[in-house]
Amino acid sequence: MGWVEGIQRAIAYMEGHLLEEVSIEEIAREAHSSAFHFQRTFSLLTDISVGEYMRRRRLTLAAEDLTGSDVKIIDLALKYGYDTPESFSKAFKKQHGIKPSEARKNARNLKSYNRLTIQVSIKGAEPMNYKIVEKESFQVVGLRRPFSVKNGENLSGIPAFWNEVNGNKTDATLFQLNNGMVKGVLGVCDTKEDSPLMDYWIATAHEGEAPDSFESLEIPASKWAIFEVRGPMPDAMQNTWKKIIQEWFPSNSYRHAGTPELEVYTDEDPASPNLYSEIWIPVK
């Protein structure tokens, strides 16, 4: 299955189950992806989370029901997944700007969020520098934290983790330990199939025993797509990820292999306009 087709299948699944309680794992399975990779891909393409998309679509359909029938508001609340009319009314007003009772009288100002359709547009005027290489397995050592991918919790938790590591100088210790094949301090995303949790590591490639304060992880032998990232953090890294998702994957036959991926950081000033970093994606 192609990259675009997988995303379309996941969207179709969401649309077919808007009135049900479905998990991000079930949705991602339609795209043959892990929950983390699908959530990130979806949010980079649409600028909203999977949960927010489904919420907007439910409230769009709720508005259609409200203005096109005489169904009771309490029944609409239950139909669209809200425990009470009050919680439904609050969510409805947040999206549409008016209460359900007001919408029934005047439906002119309602907001409609239509079903998404993923289309590949012609981009790529600026070249992406990357290479495909094969590497044997290697060990990383560092700190590990589990994060939930639900509602984008990992998106706020991971930056806080980095701030903690940089603040207590653990990053300097990791640079000193770096004697493996990948040079720099690494952000490692280790996702689990059909799990709402991911392990995020701040680590470094190291040959030998891990110090007592660190854990170790074996990165399997892989074929890697390695992308150059140039510019200050965090914008340069985020922009490169967006181009990979929006431009590179749709125009190539490679798919994510599902094993840990790496962000590689040097000890240069992260605000430097010429800062060099890398993104390593295992592909197949």
Side-chain angles (χ1 to χ4, degrees):
M1 183 190 303
W3 180 90
V4 174
E5 290 82 357
I7 301 295
Q8 295 284 31
R9 277 179 56 93
I11 291 173
Y13 185 83
M14 285 188 273
E15 290 291 328
H17 296 79
L18 282 175
L19 301 187
E20 303 170 25
E21 191 67 35
V22 295
S23 68
I24 183 64
E25 295 77 38
E26 293 174 278
I27 297 168
R29 200 176 300 131
E30 293 296 310
H32 291 223
S33 173
S34 72
F36 170 75
H37 293 307
F38 179 78
Q39 181 83 283
R40 179 173 58 189
T41 298
F42 188 89
S43 63
L44 284 172
L45 287 170
T46 65
D47 292 323
I48 59 173
S49 68
V50 171
E52 177 66 10
Y53 172 73
M54 296 191 74
R55 186 190 70 82
R56 290 182 181 183
R57 289 290 293 134
R58 286 168 179 152
L59 290 170
T60 294
L61 298 181
E64 294 176 4
D65 273 358
L66 185 70
T67 57
S69 71
D70 58 358
V71 63
K72 294 180 180 179
I73 291 176
I74 187 172
D75 293 331
L76 276 181
L78 295 174
K79 178 179 179 180
Y80 288 99
Y82 293 88
D83 294 332
T84 65
E86 291 76 19
S87 61
F88 172 68
S89 181
K90 182 178 179 181
F92 191 95
K93 185 176 182 180
K94 181 179 179 181
Q95 175 156 313
H96 296 287
I98 55 177
K99 295 179 180 179
S101 56
E102 297 168 333
R104 177 153 276 169
K105 299 174 183 176
N106 181 3
R108 288 179 297 176
N109 297 319
L110 297 173
K111 292 182 180 179
S112 177
Y113 288 95
N114 299 325
R115 172 177 173 156
L116 282 175
T117 300
I118 303 298
Q119 296 179 332
V120 179
S121 59
I122 299 174
K123 294 183 178 181
E126 297 182 4
M128 296 185 70
N129 294 322
Y130 78 96
K131 57 187 176 183
I132 303 293
V133 300
E134 295 193 20
K135 297 283 189 182
E136 296 298 323
S137 63
F138 60 93
Q139 175 186 253
V140 301
V141 301
L143 301 177
R144 174 182 62 88
R145 295 241 177 114
F147 292 98
S148 172
V149 302
K150 291 184 177 179
N151 301 316
E153 292 175 19
N154 55 299
L155 301 179
S156 58
I158 290 173
F161 187 19
W162 274 103
N163 287 338
E164 178 184 329
V165 165
N166 292 335
N168 61 24
K169 305 301 181 183
T170 300
D171 57 331
T173 302
L174 291 172
F175 276 116
Q176 293 174 356
L177 288 169
N178 183 206
N179 63 359
M181 69 167 65
V182 184
K183 303 306 177 185
V185 167
L186 313 175
V188 183
C189 294
D190 185 14
T191 61
K192 310 301 181 186
E193 191 70 26
D194 294 335
S195 171
L197 296 177
M198 59 167 287
D199 283 340
Y200 187 83
W201 294 70
I202 299 179
T204 196
H206 178 73
E207 297 179 1
E209 293 293 324
D212 291 341
S213 56
F214 293 143
E215 297 181 83
S216 64
L217 173 69
E218 189 77 9
I219 305 296
S222 302
K223 178 183 291 184
W224 298 92
I226 302 176
F227 297 85
E228 291 185 9
V229 181
R230 293 193 179 273
M233 296 294 121
D235 290 348
M237 188 66 71
Q238 294 171 352
N239 290 339
T240 302
W241 268 116
K242 183 166 287 192
K243 291 183 69 176
I244 292 169
I245 296 299
Q246 293 181 341
E247 300 177 29
W248 190 82
F249 269 118
S251 59
N252 283 274
S253 60
Y254 292 109
R255 291 184 61 82
H256 199 294
T259 50
E261 62 192 23
L262 317 174
E263 292 176 352
V264 183
Y265 300 94
T266 68
D267 59 356
E268 300 176 47
D269 180 0
S272 170
N274 298 315
L275 178 67
Y276 178 82
S277 309
E278 293 178 339
I279 293 173
W280 289 41
I281 301 178
V283 294
K284 57 184 179 181

